[in-house]
Amino acid sequence: LDDSSARSASVYQVITDRFARPSSVSSTCTTSDRKYCGGTYSALIEKLDYIQGMGFDTIWISPIVENIGGTTGEGEAYHGYWTLDAAKTNDNFGTADDLKSLSTALHNKGMYLMVDVVVNHVAATSSSTFIPSSSYGQFSSSDDYHPFCWITDYSNQTNVEQCWLGDDSVALADLNTDSDTVKNYWNNWVKELVSNYTLDSVRIDTVKHVQKDFWPNFVSSAGVFTQGEVLNGDPTYVSPYQSDAKVNPFNYPAYYPLIRGFNQTSGDLTELVTMTQTIKNSFSDPTLLGNFLNNHDNPRFESTVTDTSLIKNAHAYPFVTDGIPYGYYGSEAGFTGGADPDNREPLWTANYDTSSDMYKFFASLNAARKAAGNASDSFFTNQMTVSSLSSSSILVAKSPLISVLSNSGSSASDASVTVQSSASGWSSNTEVIDAISCETLTTDGSGNLAVTVKTGLPRVFIASSQKGSVCSSS
Ligand code: ABC
Ligand code: CA
């Protein structure tokens, strides 16, 4: 994917080991054990309809490279982030041919494959016994590594870039990404990875732990869209990774105000409103940020919030905002796992149910976003305007998609708000449809829309004339 096609994508993130496994495997998968549970590429292929049925077109899978074997004080490498030899594949997930089959199967369905890559480190079971060797493939010399020191000071960027992540159980030996040997290896590696598996995009791990000037060549060698993890909530810290390093960050700056705004009925939504403006002022292109509510590193939103209306409003935000939406597997199944490793539940226990309320909810959000993109060439590139409508609701105006999100909760009484024509762009007497409830409403003689928020649910409007497949199945 190039930037332009990446903007219209909608990504579903899986932990390969936990999404789907062959029916022949029946052992119990206990997240707290942190062990491989048997998920494979071949089993994932069998479930593409489940993902496509929710309207997602891109699947982000776990890192595919060979990882350290056996067990550690933090369990096994089931998540794929503990690289041993990047030139080999992790055979717990299947063969290289199985991965190619996944890529082909996705492309045959008009879908895309995004692979997670880690260049910052390889893994060792202890920092004191780590010895570079041919087990680490090309990185067999001590010159390939930054000398050992733990990251101790996140306010010191040199410490963040050159010291090691991890701990005494699993030390993440920091590669010397300042060395030409290491740089050339990774640039070639990513080019071949994309070509061997016909990848459409790449998710980059630990971006802030590698010096910025490493990234532009790496990104151009990949030759496809990249979304990178810069785990920091401060937009002034994150934005240079887009403008200078050429990696499009995940939207951690919006993530924290998003959860704080919607995790309780007394949440403050003005923090999110202000942040969206700061993001517009700080980033060179907010329409290429990666928006998410859940992922594999943070407690699921549902681990602390049980109100279904709050949950739906928070999940709606990434789909109606500037940037690329990321859904995390299991959100549609109502999973409630907390911090790593609890947020990495096996999906098979939920039986891939396509009739659940949340499954249909994600399908509605994706349908609305798609209809907006089909109706307007500039939907994905135009920047939204976010404003307060009341103390418990905000307007996200990204024409032709106009959303009212609220944190009043499911027990709230009906509340009236008005969407002004100046914000929506709608003219007088225009019929619009709410993609969530499928209710139709009509603007008044001035183009303003009177909206009633019922039981605190999100409202995601598009003109009926532009609705495409929105609400076609109800
Ligand atoms: C293992 C165990 C866990 C245990 C953990 C300590 O060690 O399994 O149970 O809790 C992989 C695995 C993990 C594993 C780790 C370490 O490896 O998935 O299960 O955890 O062995 C990426 C990936 C992540 C992956 C790795 C390593 C990196 O997405 O899945 O983990 O390849 C840091 C890194 C970030 C990394 C994250 C896990 O740790 O920067 O790249 N994620 C602050 C720091 C961040 C830091 C974060 C969490 O804490 O600034 O750099 O992320 O430790 C905001 C601030 C932020 C602040 C947050 C908490 O608050 O703005 O700066 O982040 O307000
Ligand atoms: Ca580093």
Side-chain angles (χ1 to χ4, degrees):
L1 301 176
D2 59 13
D3 285 2
S4 164
S5 39
R7 279 194 193 88
S8 59
S10 182
V11 186
Y12 184 79
Q13 179 194 358
V14 306
I15 301 272
T16 305
D17 182 59
R18 302 295 163 85
F19 177 75
R21 67 181 183 181
S23 49
S24 54
V25 187
S26 61
S27 51
T28 304
C29 177
T30 307
T31 50
S32 57
D33 289 350
R34 308 192 232 199
K35 288 186 177 151
Y36 282 102
C37 286
T40 65
Y41 304 128
S42 305
L44 170 48
I45 292 173
E46 302 302 312
K47 299 293 179 223
L48 299 186
D49 286 345
Y50 173 81
I51 298 170
Q52 193 171 42
M54 253 180 295
F56 293 104
D57 60 12
T58 304
I59 304 182
W60 157 15
I61 60 171
S62 306
I64 64 147
V65 299
E66 184 188 44
N67 271 225
I68 58 170
T71 195
T72 73
E74 285 157 10
E76 299 174 350
Y78 71 90
H79 42 68
Y81 292 98
W82 293 343
T83 304
L84 185 60
D85 184 351
K88 298 181 180 157
T89 53
N90 186 336
D91 56 20
N92 290 281
F93 305 148
T95 63
D97 279 343
D98 293 342
L99 180 55
K100 287 179 186 168
S101 302
L102 170 60
S103 181
T104 304
L106 282 163
H107 295 151
N108 287 342
K109 294 175 76 71
M111 297 175 76
Y112 306 106
L113 181 58
M114 173 182 234
V115 165
D116 206 327
V117 305
V118 186
V119 307
N120 178 63
H121 52 261
V122 296
T125 44
S126 130
S127 58
S128 50
T129 60
F130 172 68
I131 300 165
S133 73
S134 58
S135 309
Y136 292 98
Q138 211 56 39
F139 302 131
S140 57
S141 150
S142 58
D143 298 341
D144 298 327
Y145 297 87
H146 287 135
F148 168 70
C149 51
W150 292 125
I151 295 174
T152 50
D153 181 5
Y154 271 101
S155 65
N156 175 344
Q157 190 58 27
T158 307
N159 182 266
V160 168
E161 290 172 3
Q162 298 182 6
C163 290
W164 296 22
L165 280 164
D167 52 35
D168 285 327
S169 298
V170 180
L172 299 178
D174 205 71
L175 285 162
N176 179 8
T177 48
D178 303 282
S179 121
D180 283 340
T181 321
V182 172
K183 285 187 210 173
N184 290 338
Y185 179 83
W186 281 133
N187 291 341
N188 264 322
W189 175 87
V190 75
K191 189 175 174 192
E192 284 179 13
L193 183 83
V194 168
S195 136
N196 281 346
Y197 301 106
T198 327
L199 305 184
D200 302 290
S201 53
V202 167
R203 183 267 185 187
I204 308 178
D205 190 59
T206 36
V207 170
K208 75 177 196 185
H209 297 284
V210 175
Q211 81 281 3
K212 287 194 187 71
D213 72 11
F214 172 89
W215 294 114
N217 286 334
F218 184 81
V219 167
S220 65
S221 302
V224 292
F225 179 74
T226 61
Q227 198 95 66
E229 181 217 21
V230 182
L231 208 171
N232 191 296
D234 178 358
T236 62
Y237 181 89
V238 181
S239 61
Y241 287 91
Q242 184 176 54
S243 51
D244 304 347
K246 307 296 177 197
V247 174
N248 294 294
F250 282 95
N251 202 343
Y252 269 103
Y255 168 72
Y256 295 106
L258 172 64
I259 53 176
R260 284 194 287 267
F262 289 102
N263 66 4
Q264 50 186 324
T265 52
S266 54
D268 177 13
L269 292 170
T270 60
E271 193 197 352
L272 180 59
V273 172
T274 306
M275 181 56 83
T276 59
Q277 190 56 48
T278 308
I279 287 170
K280 289 210 269 184
N281 297 339
S282 324
F283 284 89
S284 48
D285 191 349
T287 70
L288 287 171
L289 297 176
N291 295 299
F292 62 95
L293 178 68
N294 287 333
N295 67 22
H296 62 308
D297 286 332
N298 295 284
R300 290 184 185 270
F301 186 75
E302 297 86 342
S303 67
T304 54
V305 181
T306 53
D307 184 288
T308 54
S309 290
L310 289 176
I311 290 169
K312 284 182 175 173
N313 279 279
H315 272 302
Y317 184 80
F319 292 83
V320 301
T321 194
D322 288 348
I324 299 152
Y326 284 76
Y328 181 51
Y329 88 99
S331 297
E332 75 281 9
F335 285 176
T336 59
D340 168 14
D342 298 342
N343 56 0
R344 300 166 178 193
E345 305 95 322
L347 190 63
W348 45 90
T349 60
N351 296 317
Y352 308 96
D353 179 8
T354 58
S355 68
S356 76
D357 189 37
M358 285 308 288
Y359 182 97
K360 291 183 195 157
F361 180 69
F362 285 107
S364 301
L365 291 172
N366 275 316
R369 192 173 171 87
K370 186 167 194 179
N374 286 341
S376 165
D377 287 342
S378 54
F379 169 69
F380 295 114
T381 47
N382 274 353
Q383 293 185 24
M384 63 179 172
T385 306
V386 180
S387 55
S388 289
L389 281 176
S390 74
S391 63
S392 60
S393 61
I394 58 171
L395 176 70
V396 184
K398 187 170 171 63
S399 183
L401 199 65
I402 307 293
S403 308
V404 174
L405 304 183
S406 307
N407 66 0
S408 47
S410 52
S411 14
S413 40
D414 289 2
S416 302
V417 292
T418 303
V419 176
Q420 302 290 335
S421 64
S422 53
S424 68
W426 290 321
S427 49
S428 58
N429 308 312
T430 303
E431 188 191 271
V432 305
I433 184 164
D434 171 11
I436 308 304
S437 66
C438 297
E439 183 186 0
T440 56
L441 301 175
T442 304
T443 62
D444 68 14
S446 313
N448 299 331
L449 187 73
V451 176
T452 307
V453 175
K454 297 168 191 163
T455 63
L457 284 169
R459 304 283 245 156
V460 178
F461 296 109
I462 188 164
S464 295
S465 61
Q466 299 174 320
K467 76 182 174 89
S469 68
V470 164
C471 295
S472 58
S473 60
S474 29

